[in-house]
Every structure is written in structure tokens, then in C-alpha cells.
Amino acid sequence: MTTAKIPGAGPAGRILVVGGHGAVGTVVVRALDAWFPGRVLPAGRDEARARRTGGVRVDVGVPDGFRRLLDRGGVALVVLCVEPRDATVARLCLERGVGLVDVGATARLLDGVTALDGTARRAGAPAVLSVGVAPGLTNLLARRVHEAVGGADRVDLTLLLGAGERHGADALRWTVEGLATPVPGRPARVGLPDHGTRTAHPFPFSDQYTLPGTLGVPDVTTRLCLDSRPLTAALFALRRGGRARPAARPGVRRLLRDVMGRVHVGGDAFAVRADAWRGERHAGLVLGGRAQSRVTGLVAAHVTRAVLDGAVPAGVRHIEEVAALTGLPDRLAAEGAVSLRTVTSGAPRPAGSAR
């Protein structure tokens, strides 16, 4: 296994943060600028804003423009804080030997980038996927509890999000689309320290689709609830009803995006719980924090730092596959960004179960 050599990773190598003016990207830019002063280049579609921040205008929906930017040279690594339509942007980076850190959360898009592993290895470019809170910290906690039981038969991941936090347009769109996506599994009652026992609903986070392949766990389910119990119940009621479910209608999805972008009921606290079972053996961890977008940005910044420090081999990997990143939850806890604790009670059980 060879350590990736990032082209231009010396003083002249630039770190292009695409979506660098958004809720996540601004955190990434601020953190990286402290570690690599003078090398961070914010990028976005708003040309006036790009000029004010000393960045560049770029639109991931226009691959030719993105290609021209890379072909000018000097970019060592791209941090994608927005989701392109497909894997074209990732391919343009990796085939030029430019490293990639992808904050995307859609399983289909992540699969498309994973398929570029051979391209990345040949060009000597490292790429890290599943970067953020979910996926991201969920993946790392899943790996830890999986190893704690000696190889899990089943992993349950639960995410509580603060309904009062202001999220970017991509995050809102992704959440609303998730409500319109049918997901197998049942709601579960889960104990979340500091938040009580909550009903969490299966949700199409990408971690549950990638972890069976990366960890070899046959059964992985990720569930979601909000800190507002009434809002959780109301949103997931829109999913019921098969083809007639309201969330499947484009007009309803547009309305939901608008309402969720304007109305903020609740706080900004979030929690992630990971539970693993092997027969009767159980291990559980809970990570908590505030401002999910901020913590997502911090995760992306730490991953970027690891890549530029040469700690990530060439090729495409999910965050839980990078040995140098397994201790990231502990580093974030030491910095005061999150809390991390072991739990032995309140494990997920199907809603309505008497167990």
C-alpha cells in the first residue's frame, strides 16, 4: 500500500473548497486556513461572493468550467461541500491526481465515486468519502462497536437532529427527498442520553448501504428523529400510504423545503448512537454535540488535513476504511466539539415491542 503523493501539496498547492460559502464550507475554510494559511481557495457559484472572499467562481453543474479550473494547475485537493449530479467532478479530480474529500451523502453518487478507485490508484490520488456526521461519524462509531463485539451480526445507527438549526439548500433538499424514499425496516424506540427515549424512523442515510461492504456486517439500519417530537411525527406521517404518500408528490416536496428553510422549531443539538450485536454480545456508543453543520465541517477539515499530511493511501475509501481516521471522534471530543460515551442501556427496539 503506497502513501499518496499530492501534486502541489507543498507551499503552492491549493485546497479548493467547493461550496466554501455555505453552512458547512465556511467551517471547512476557516479550519483549514488556520492549519494551511494562504492555501485555501473558497469556490462557489456566486461570483461576487467569491471575489469578496478571495475565492473563485465554479459550478459543479458545468463540468467544462471545472475542468478548465483544474487544468490551470496548482490545486492539490478538492473538498466537495456540495453534491454534483454525478461522479464527473470526482473523475476530473482523480484522473489528474488531485485528491478529493467528499461531504456528499447520497448512496448512488458515492457508489459512482467508489467505482473510480482504479483511476485514483493509477494517478496516485487519495479520495475519502462518507465525510460528515451521517455519513461520517456514524461510520466511525459503527466500526468501533463492530470491533468491540468481535464482528457484529447487526448494527443499528440512530441520529437525532436539531430541528432549529439552519441548514444549507443541499441538506434541505436531501432530507426532503429522503422522506419521499421508501425504506425497509420499522421505527424503533431508542434511548439517547440527554434527550430521553425517542421513536426513530428508518431513513436512507448512505452509511447503511456502504457499511455491509466495508465492515462485512450483514444487517445495518440507520434511523432518524428530530429533537421536536411533534415535528418528527408529522414529517414521517407524510411518508405513509404507499404510492399515495404525500411526500412523494413534487409539490409537497417543494413546500416542505420552503417550510423547513424558514421555520425552525427546536434547538441545534444532535446525537448519534451506534449499537452492535454479535449473538447476545452488545456494544453501544453515543456521540453528542451542537450545530451539526459545524461538526460536519470540522470532520471534513480533519479528513483534509490527514490527506495532505500523507496519512491516506491512494485510492477511493470511505472514512471508516482509513486507519488514520479511526480516532477522529476522540480528537473532536478532546477539542470540545462533541461528547463521546459508552452506553449499555436504551438499545433500539421495535416501536410497540414489549421487550
Side-chain angles (χ1 to χ4, degrees):
M1 184 178 293
T2 60
T3 299
K5 302 295 184 181
I6 303 294
R14 304 302 297 270
I15 308 163
L16 183 71
V17 182
V18 182
H21 308 121
V24 172
T26 52
V27 177
V28 176
V29 169
R30 191 178 308 119
L32 291 177
D33 197 47
W35 297 331
F36 304 100
R39 293 180 57 188
V40 183
L41 190 63
R45 291 182 297 181
D46 188 331
E47 188 166 358
R49 199 170 184 184
R51 283 200 301 268
R52 287 198 304 271
T53 60
V56 295
R57 184 188 184 280
V58 68
D59 186 345
V60 295
V62 185
D64 285 343
F66 196 85
R67 180 188 295 108
R68 286 193 295 271
L69 176 61
L70 293 180
D71 285 343
R72 294 176 196 166
V75 174
L77 185 145
V78 171
V79 185
L80 271 182
C81 298
V82 297
E83 280 203 336
R85 289 191 297 264
D86 54 33
T88 300
V89 167
R91 178 179 56 78
L92 291 173
C93 293
L94 299 179
E95 66 188 10
R96 287 162 173 76
V98 174
L100 179 69
V101 172
D102 192 345
V103 185
T106 301
R108 172 185 60 82
L109 296 176
L110 295 178
D111 286 345
V113 181
T114 301
L116 297 170
D117 179 60
T119 299
R121 289 175 184 270
R122 288 189 295 273
V128 184
L129 313 182
S130 300
V131 175
V133 172
L137 294 178
T138 52
N139 301 55
L140 294 174
L141 296 185
R143 173 174 173 168
R144 193 167 295 188
V145 295
H146 164 68
E147 293 175 345
V149 299
D153 303 316
R154 171 180 146 219
V155 168
D156 277 19
L157 300 169
T158 306
L159 181 67
L160 177 143
L161 293 181
E165 183 176 353
R166 286 169 168 78
H167 296 282
D170 269 5
L172 290 174
R173 175 192 54 75
W174 185 89
T175 302
V176 171
E177 292 299 322
L179 289 170
T181 303
V183 182
R186 296 175 60 188
R189 298 284 288 168
V190 187
L192 294 168
D194 302 327
H195 300 280
T197 300
R198 299 301 187 103
T199 298
H201 301 259
F203 203 77
F205 289 103
S206 62
D207 44 26
Q208 63 200 310
Y209 304 115
T210 58
L211 287 169
T214 60
L215 297 183
V217 181
D219 183 2
V220 183
T221 302
T222 309
R223 296 180 175 90
L224 172 69
C225 61
L226 304 178
D227 60 348
S228 168
R229 298 174 194 264
L231 187 55
T232 300
L235 285 177
F236 283 96
L238 294 173
R239 175 187 278 176
R240 303 187 191 110
R243 291 184 179 179
R245 62 186 182 278
R249 303 170 189 163
V252 173
R253 295 204 298 272
R254 286 193 296 271
L255 178 62
L256 277 173
R257 286 196 297 270
D258 184 60
V259 170
M260 292 174 70
R262 295 172 182 271
V263 179
H264 304 281
V265 180
D268 68 348
F270 71 90
V272 175
R273 175 164 180 154
D275 291 272
W277 289 266
R278 180 183 176 91
E280 294 300 313
R281 296 186 64 185
H282 168 259
L285 286 170
V286 169
L287 180 147
R290 308 193 75 86
Q292 179 222 344
S293 295
R294 174 177 172 271
V295 175
T296 294
L298 291 176
V299 172
H302 276 281
V303 172
T304 302
R305 187 179 190 179
V307 172
L308 291 172
D309 286 346
V312 181
V316 180
R317 290 169 177 81
H318 291 273
I319 193 171
E320 71 276 12
E321 298 180 283
V322 181
L325 296 173
T326 56
L328 182 52
D330 305 278
R331 290 199 289 276
L332 292 172
E335 293 171 1
V338 300
S339 63
L340 184 64
R341 68 186 89 175
T342 301
V343 288
T344 56
S345 61
R349 56 188 175 88
S353 169
R355 180 166 65 86

